[in-house]
Amino acid sequence: MEQQQQQRRRQQSCGGGSGVLSVMAGIGRGGTRRKGHTAALSLFAVLSVLFTCCVRCVDGVKPSNVVLILTDDQDVFLGGMTPMKKTKALIGEAGATFVNAFTVTPLCCPSRSSILTGQYPHNHEVRNNSLSGNCSSPLWQKGPESMALPVYLNKQKYQTFFAGKYLNQYGVGDAGSITHIPPGWDQWHALVGNSQYYNYTLSVNGKEEKHGDSYEKDYLTNLIANRSLKFLDDRSPQHPFFLMLSTPAPHSPWTAAPQYQKEFSNVKAPRDGSFDKPGKDKHWLLRQPVNPMSNSSLTFLDDAYRRRWQTLLSVDDMVEVLVKKLDSIKELDNTYIFYTSDNGYHTGQFSLPIDKRQLYEFDIRVPLLVRGPGIKPNQTLKAPVLNIDLAPTILDISGLNLSSAHMDGQSFLGQMAPSLRNASTHPFFLIEYTGEGHLTIDPACPKVGPGLSHCFPDCVCEDAYNNTYACVRTLDSQDDLQYCEFADSESFVEVYNLTTDPHQLENIVKKVDPAVLQIMNQRLIKLQSCMLPNTHYIPPVHLSPA
């Protein structure tokens, strides 16, 4: 009971809980306050939790195993799950598919740091993929990494295994050597640096292991699968296990397995929604692409789109092999399998060629499928779930008292398995990102000036220092609203009603009742000011209400 009370206080201070006033009233829709849970319902929820805990304690039941499969840059908004037929059948149809799953920051390293810590970026302080942005830095290693998910699981006597991409700067230069093994991992097979499929280096339990270009020996997705199978063979059956399998797919350089390199030959990037639409009412970075896009740009992004799907077929195979293995060792029925991505992706939306980092649906929505004990098959769940909720949910499964974990997220175990937990949701939540740029002007693009990065040959740039923003998103049965503030000289604000404009084509900041903007601004300040104990906090710069 005390655990639930502390979690409820934590959720209320960081945007969780219920009883939120509908902000869309100022856009012509009436809002009503939701009623709180009745005393009887609250008592039932507490008794349910106590009953579950008591069953585990008295009967000595081994906690459930957990497998977390994390892909790299896999969108869901633009059809990124289409190649995953086996995964959708073996996980989604056997359990729950969350259709409103989000990353709290649309970039690899800060997103992965949020998954590992259950914290928003302003708390774990990993801002982007650079070492100066705190990606796998000494500050990260001394602070948030020492209180991350595997540390808690290790204390719960879980056998822990990691394989694949960890953080972009891991083992690189000033980020420390490959001898560094993050605390909590029993078996460590981590990629040095960013995603590759061949010709990479692994840290295998702190020792260097170089790989070449042999498909049979080196293709990273297959290596991750094979080593996870060996771990399962060697494990102790007396203790539960946690596997985190972090594939390079579908990240560039999009190197598909030989047998899949001719698949999807007729597929092109989707041309609907915001594809090749001008970003005329958006932040300046969205106003600079050439529109319409050139034929060479279209050919390039179509090729990228196909090759991304091709790499995912090996991930689909990995899921099948893993599920069969769990079944053969009689652990499948006692194992939760999570399938998700670190962020979404875009291919031509608002005339931006390819990347992530933006505040729009295509970059912040991620796939999320889960199967496991207590989860009924073929569920489609609409309540919003964030990647900062993964760690609390996994720890909830482990039996940990969540009040002892310093996390912004909340367990969504009750959403997919209501017989085990009382469900809670996010009435509003935070999306934040700190842009990257270069101090010097790119000689190939002198007109765009300094402060930009990730520029294409036609001088269309995907990021900049002032592509720094914070958004509050309200998503429930009444409202689907996004409000974003940029830290730039324009004090730019973007607002979208996604109920009527799901592709975010029109920025309605000038049409919305100022009272609504004020409410959203206050919510944003509340979320950005949410601090955790024992963190070195740098206060954000808040813009005034629009």
Side-chain angles (χ1 to χ4, degrees):
M1 185 172 181
E2 176 62 21
Q3 174 182 349
Q4 283 199 331
Q5 291 173 344
Q6 292 189 40
Q7 279 294 102
R8 191 174 297 114
R9 289 193 292 268
R10 177 89 188 101
Q11 292 162 10
Q12 289 172 349
S13 67
C14 296
S18 58
V20 180
L21 181 65
S22 171
V23 300
M24 291 299 290
I27 312 180
R29 294 178 57 189
T32 58
R33 289 188 181 272
R34 298 196 190 102
K35 295 180 180 179
H37 293 297
T38 63
L41 185 59
S42 298
L43 179 61
F44 175 77
V46 172
L47 291 175
S48 296
V49 172
L50 291 175
F51 175 76
T52 303
C53 294
C54 288
V55 168
R56 285 181 175 175
C57 295
V58 174
D59 293 347
V61 176
K62 184 180 75 171
S64 296
N65 312 303
V66 180
V67 176
L68 173 59
I69 300 169
L70 180 66
T71 56
D72 196 355
D73 286 0
Q74 185 177 10
D75 73 276
V76 68
F77 197 71
L78 302 177
M81 284 298 293
T82 304
M84 313 301 292
K85 294 181 180 179
K86 299 172 184 177
T87 300
K88 288 186 288 187
L90 294 171
I91 303 180
E93 293 175 16
T97 298
F98 290 84
V99 295
N100 288 310
F102 296 86
T103 177
V104 296
T105 183
L107 187 64
C108 305
C109 198
S111 175
R112 289 162 180 266
S113 302
S114 287
I115 291 170
L116 289 163
T117 63
Q119 297 176 6
Y120 281 119
H122 69 262
N123 276 325
H124 63 59
E125 296 187 295
V126 178
R127 294 176 290 280
N128 50 50
N129 286 345
S130 66
L131 192 61
S132 61
N134 208 26
C135 180
S136 198
S137 69
L139 182 63
W140 154 265
Q141 293 172 12
K142 293 177 183 177
E145 189 177 66
S146 66
M147 300 181 290
L149 172 63
V151 175
Y152 291 104
L153 289 175
N154 198 260
K155 292 179 180 178
Q156 294 291 100
K157 301 188 184 304
Y158 271 71
Q159 303 163 87
T160 57
F161 172 90
F162 180 90
K165 175 179 172 178
Y166 181 57
L167 302 174
N168 296 55
Q169 298 293 332
Y170 172 76
V172 178
D174 294 334
S177 70
I178 60 174
T179 59
H180 172 68
I181 303 173
W185 296 108
D186 297 318
Q187 287 291 319
W188 180 250
H189 302 254
L191 178 67
V192 174
N194 205 359
S195 283
Q196 295 289 334
Y197 299 80
Y198 296 110
N199 300 307
Y200 54 84
T201 300
L202 293 180
S203 169
V204 178
N205 298 322
K207 295 182 179 180
E208 182 181 75
E209 182 179 285
K210 289 187 174 293
H211 285 264
D213 57 5
S214 167
Y215 173 70
E216 291 75 16
K217 296 179 181 179
D218 303 313
Y219 193 69
L220 184 54
T221 302
N222 293 359
L223 182 144
I224 292 168
N226 292 334
R227 296 202 176 177
S228 69
L229 301 183
K230 186 177 186 306
F231 173 81
L232 291 173
D233 284 334
D234 296 343
R235 81 197 189 287
S236 167
Q238 281 72 43
H239 297 289
F241 55 79
F242 171 67
L243 280 70
M244 184 170 178
L245 311 182
S246 183
T247 72
H251 196 284
S252 62
W254 315 306
T255 309
Q259 67 271 29
Y260 295 135
Q261 290 179 0
K262 294 183 180 180
E263 296 293 324
F264 310 118
S265 59
N266 295 321
V267 169
K268 292 185 177 182
R271 287 341 196 225
D272 57 353
S274 59
F275 182 85
D276 206 12
K277 293 288 195 301
K280 57 185 178 181
D281 58 1
K282 294 172 170 51
H283 182 239
W284 77 270
L285 193 67
L286 274 291
R287 302 196 296 266
Q288 48 96 28
V290 176
N291 179 269
M293 302 178 74
S294 66
N295 288 335
S296 61
S297 293
L298 295 176
T299 299
F300 171 75
L301 66 87
D302 281 337
D303 181 64
Y305 190 87
R306 281 191 294 270
R307 293 172 65 190
R308 282 166 52 80
W309 277 20
Q310 291 168 357
T311 66
L312 285 168
L313 293 176
S314 294
V315 181
D316 208 33
D317 291 341
M318 182 185 78
V319 171
E320 180 184 40
V321 169
L322 181 64
V323 170
K324 287 182 176 179
K325 181 66 173 181
L326 291 170
D327 190 33
S328 71
I329 61 175
K330 303 188 185 313
E331 291 284 8
L332 182 60
D333 291 340
N334 191 38
T335 300
Y336 288 90
I337 305 177
F338 294 74
Y339 182 95
T340 190
S341 174
D342 51 4
N343 48 256
Y345 206 70
H346 58 258
T347 50
Q349 283 60 49
F350 297 120
S351 298
L352 291 171
I354 56 166
D355 201 39
K356 49 269 186 180
R357 307 168 196 267
Q358 309 306 328
L359 57 88
Y360 309 103
E361 294 288 271
F362 40 76
D363 284 358
I364 65 174
R365 283 185 177 269
V366 294
L368 178 59
L369 292 73
V370 191
R371 66 172 290 169
I375 304 178
K376 293 181 180 179
N378 288 305
Q379 293 187 73
T380 300
L381 302 179
K382 296 182 179 180
V385 171
L386 312 179
N387 64 345
I388 57 173
D389 297 333
L390 288 167
T393 303
I394 293 169
L395 292 179
D396 194 8
I397 291 168
S398 78
L400 182 78
N401 185 324
L402 294 182
S403 64
S404 65
H406 302 305
M407 295 183 176
D408 294 315
Q410 60 190 40
S411 172
F412 58 88
L413 180 58
Q415 290 187 36
M416 53 189 180
S419 63
L420 301 180
R421 294 286 186 275
N422 187 37
S424 59
T425 60
H426 296 276
F428 56 90
F429 52 90
L430 178 67
I431 307 291
E432 54 186 348
Y433 176 67
T434 302
E436 293 181 75
H438 301 300
L439 294 175
T440 58
I441 296 175
D442 185 345
C445 302
K447 291 184 179 180
V448 300
L452 290 94
S453 65
H454 299 86
C455 299
F456 285 83
D458 57 0
C459 298
V460 174
C461 301
E462 293 274 3
D463 207 3
Y465 283 131
N466 63 5
N467 186 39
T468 296
Y469 57 81
C471 306
V472 61
R473 179 69 176 271
T474 298
L475 177 58
D476 55 30
S477 59
Q478 294 178 323
D479 303 329
D480 193 349
L481 185 69
Q482 186 174 17
Y483 170 93
C484 302
E485 297 181 351
F486 284 84
D488 63 2
S489 60
E490 296 180 308
S491 297
F492 204 80
V493 176
E494 295 187 26
V495 182
Y496 299 98
N497 179 357
L498 286 100
T499 302
T500 59
D501 181 21
H503 296 288
Q504 297 162 293
L505 299 176
E506 182 185 9
N507 179 7
I508 59 172
V509 62
K510 296 180 181 179
K511 298 181 179 180
V512 180
D513 186 333
V516 173
L517 298 180
Q518 185 175 14
I519 291 173
M520 298 301 282
N521 171 265
Q522 290 172 348
R523 289 180 176 178
L524 184 59
I525 291 173
K526 176 181 178 181
L527 287 167
Q528 284 191 289
S529 301
C530 179
M531 295 174 59
L532 291 167
N534 304 319
T535 60
H536 174 65
Y537 180 69
I538 301 175
V541 177
H542 296 299
L543 308 179
S544 60

